[in-house]
């Protein structure tokens, strides 16, 4: 295999930058692994959707042919697009050339595809781990305030050598691993792994005001938000509760923002209604000025798109809308520097349903003005180094089943 600089950077970092373009490929497993000293993310647990598809390829084909027969029957009546669908179609047409170019670049990077194709080699079935812990359910019961987490520090980071374990409330409490090492934790006999320099606050939206810092210079300059937008498939699959749009208006973005301003990154699906809502209501109410859009293009391990680019209700891409929220001391210079950043396309193989690739470092590379980052992720399901993860299940992907050797 011809080795090149981009590939060796990718092997170490998980980021592959396509030369002279605004396209990145991310391997979340490699990126996340850099946050751990002793533990490693399990590729087959992260990419289980695609390992499963490969193992059951025969069944997949059958399901496809049955549903395509259905589709053929339905195709008799041509669907006339309503006004909102026409706007969505127009948005898609504008984005399409950029995404096609990004995809072409990926297909030409045969060295990268070879490395990613090898993921399948060490497949380990993850059935047999039993039912996952539901923090959403646990947080709703009357005993929730009584649940505790036991943090087991590898080395005692305090001077008092007896402090190797700490038992503290699980919900509505800031739980931090301030050490440079991974920390193992226990909740109701299950094991969780916390990356270095990370923290979480597990609560319902009703308690989010507890995160507002007393001093605004303790606020955050990078705010990543992945709201539980209402959508049919999350509801049907009962994966997590969703919320009507009006609930997101109450997110205290301004109060979470650092004195010197914050970069706000908001994940949005393809629904045109959401784009209108963000542009006309959400960003203005939060005090966020739109800056640019990044696109997340989803591919399979062989580099092919997860669905047809033109498939109306299942586009193989999502949007990351970027905006700027000014703080009390923010300068306009900071703001105009942001406007110079063009659209970028991030390509990756998706993990579990709605799991987003870790984009914190990439954002800081594109917007260096926000370093050192004081980062918060809202509606998080995992923890990353240097970031506070908030939501009703920020420990979801921290369970030991998602790590190798469990
Ligand atoms: N970014 C996450 C990832 O990459 O895995 C996915 C986030 S998912 C779209 C939305 C999250 O919001 C889910 O974990 C869901 O349980 C959580 N959520 C839903 N309702 C909530 C509420 N009322 N308070 C706090 N979190 C909530």
């Amino acid at each position: 295999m011809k080795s090149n600089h981009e590939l060796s950077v990718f092997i170490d970092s998980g980021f592959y930058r396509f030369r002279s373009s605004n396209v990145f490929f991310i391997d979340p497993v490699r990126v996340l692994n850099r946050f751990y000293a002793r533990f490693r993310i399990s590729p087959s647990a992260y990419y289980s959707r695609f390992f499963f598809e490969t193992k059951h390829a025969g069944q997949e084909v059958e399901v496809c042919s049955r549903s395509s027969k259905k589709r053929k029957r339905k195709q008799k009546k041509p669907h006339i697009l309503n006004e909102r669908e026409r706007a969505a179609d127009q948005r898609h047409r504008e984005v399409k050339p950029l995404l096609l170019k990004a995809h072409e670049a990926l297909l030409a990077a045969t060295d990268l595809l070879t490395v990613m194709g090898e993921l399948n080699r060490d497949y380990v079935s993850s059935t047999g781990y039993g039912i996952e812990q539901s923090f959403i359910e646990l947080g709703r019961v009357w005993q929730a305030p009584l649940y505790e987490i036991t943090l087991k520090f590898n080395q005692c980071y305090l001077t008092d050598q007896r402090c190797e374990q700490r038992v503290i409330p699980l919900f509505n409490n800031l739980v931090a691993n301030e050490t440079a090492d991974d920390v193992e934790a226990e909740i109701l006999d299950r094991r969780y792994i916390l990356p270095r320099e990370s923290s979480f606050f597990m609560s319902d939206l009703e308690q989010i005001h507890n995160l507002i810092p007393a001093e605004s210079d303790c606020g955050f300059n990078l705010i990543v938000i992945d709201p539980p937008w209402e959508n049919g498939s999350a509801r049907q699959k009962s994966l997590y509760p969703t919320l009507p749009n009006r609930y997101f208006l109450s997110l205290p973005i301004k109060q979470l923002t650092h004195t010197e301003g914050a970069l706000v990154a908001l994940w949005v699906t393809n629904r045109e209604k959401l784009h209108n809502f963000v542009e006309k209501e959400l960003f203005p109410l939060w005090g966020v000025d739109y800056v640019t859009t990044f696109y997340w293009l989803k591919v399979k391990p062989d580099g092919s798109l997860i669905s047809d680019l033109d498939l109306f209700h299942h586009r193989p891409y999502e949007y990351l809308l970027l905006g700027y929220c000014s703080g009390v001391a923010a300068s306009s210079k900071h703001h105009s520097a942001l406007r110079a950043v063009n659209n970028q396309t991030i390509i990756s193989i998706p993990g579990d349903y709605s799991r987003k690739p870790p984009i914190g470092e990439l954002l800081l590379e594109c917007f260096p003005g926000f370093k050192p980052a004081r980062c918060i992720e809202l509606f998080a399901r995992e923890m990353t180094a240097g970031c506070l993860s908030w939501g009703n299940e920020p420990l979801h992907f921290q369970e030991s089943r998602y790590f190798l050797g469990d």
Side-chain angles (χ1 to χ4, degrees), residues 11-69:
I11 304 280
D12 293 340
S13 68
F15 292 111
Y16 187 103
R17 185 176 195 137
F18 292 87
R19 263 180 237 173
S20 51
S21 72
N22 295 332
V23 184
F24 291 89
F25 180 87
I26 299 188
D27 173 13
V29 172
R30 283 187 166 83
V31 175
L32 295 173
N33 273 342
R34 285 192 289 111
F35 302 150
Y36 298 89
R38 290 174 287 128
F39 292 90
R40 289 285 165 266
I41 306 282
S42 155
S44 47
Y46 191 99
Y47 293 119
S48 61
R49 268 210 263 178
F50 293 101
F51 287 113
F52 181 83
E53 269 186 18
T54 317
K55 294 270 151 180
H56 296 77
Q59 288 175 21
E60 276 288 309
V61 171
E62 224 196 40
V63 173
C64 288
S65 62
R66 247 187 273 142
S67 58
S68 64
K69 266 184 215 155

Side-chain angles (χ1 to χ4, degrees), residues 82-279:
N82 63 32
E83 198 183 327
R84 196 176 273 157
E85 288 169 333
R86 278 201 301 278
D89 195 47
Q90 179 58 28
R91 192 185 292 277
H92 172 65
R93 281 167 202 269
E94 283 164 19
V95 180
K96 192 175 165 181
L98 193 120
L99 297 176
L100 282 174
K101 221 169 142 203
H103 191 224
E104 266 169 33
L106 174 71
L107 295 181
T110 48
D111 50 359
L112 174 64
L113 290 175
T114 308
V115 171
M116 291 312 291
E118 282 168 4
L119 275 175
N120 230 341
R121 212 181 39 193
D122 305 317
Y123 179 81
V124 187
S125 166
S126 52
T127 53
Y129 287 126
I131 299 162
E132 278 177 284
Q133 176 81 268
S134 169
F135 290 109
I136 301 170
E137 298 299 321
L138 216 56
R140 281 178 183 156
V141 299
W142 69 265
Q143 299 95 328
L146 306 175
Y147 287 122
E148 292 176 322
I149 178 169
T150 304
L151 301 176
K152 301 175 175 180
F153 294 94
N154 194 29
Q155 296 152 337
C156 193
Y157 73 103
L158 299 172
T159 42
D160 180 351
Q161 286 300 309
R162 287 168 299 160
C163 289
E164 281 181 343
Q165 289 203 0
R166 277 172 65 195
V167 184
I168 49 176
L170 175 64
F171 291 104
N172 249 313
N173 185 31
L174 184 67
V175 180
N177 169 18
E178 285 160 352
T179 73
D181 193 7
D182 320 330
V183 161
E184 285 182 74
E186 208 177 278
I187 304 163
L188 299 172
D189 292 332
R190 287 175 188 247
R191 214 159 60 92
Y192 296 84
I193 317 295
L194 276 47
R196 66 178 155 83
E197 294 143 9
S198 65
S199 54
F200 75 85
F201 191 98
M202 183 146 59
S203 80
D204 187 78
L205 182 60
E206 284 175 11
Q207 282 85 39
I208 197 173
H209 57 271
N210 290 322
L211 296 178
I212 298 172
E215 313 284 337
S216 63
D217 59 352
C218 298
F220 302 93
N221 60 3
L222 176 59
I223 305 178
V224 179
I225 314 160
D226 186 14
W229 302 114
E230 282 187 311
N231 85 57
S233 61
R235 202 176 34 241
Q236 267 168 22
K237 294 178 185 164
S238 310
L239 293 164
Y240 52 75
T242 56
L243 290 170
N245 288 353
R246 65 177 186 282
Y247 282 76
F248 307 126
L249 294 167
S250 68
L251 287 175
I253 302 303
K254 200 83 189 162
Q255 292 98 310
L256 292 171
T257 293
H258 192 272
T259 342
E260 292 181 356
L263 178 66
V264 176
L266 176 70
W267 287 103
V268 178
T269 61
N270 277 287
R271 289 178 62 209
E272 193 56 24
K273 197 176 151 190
L274 292 185
H275 289 261
N276 280 330
F277 171 68
V278 173
E279 187 188 323

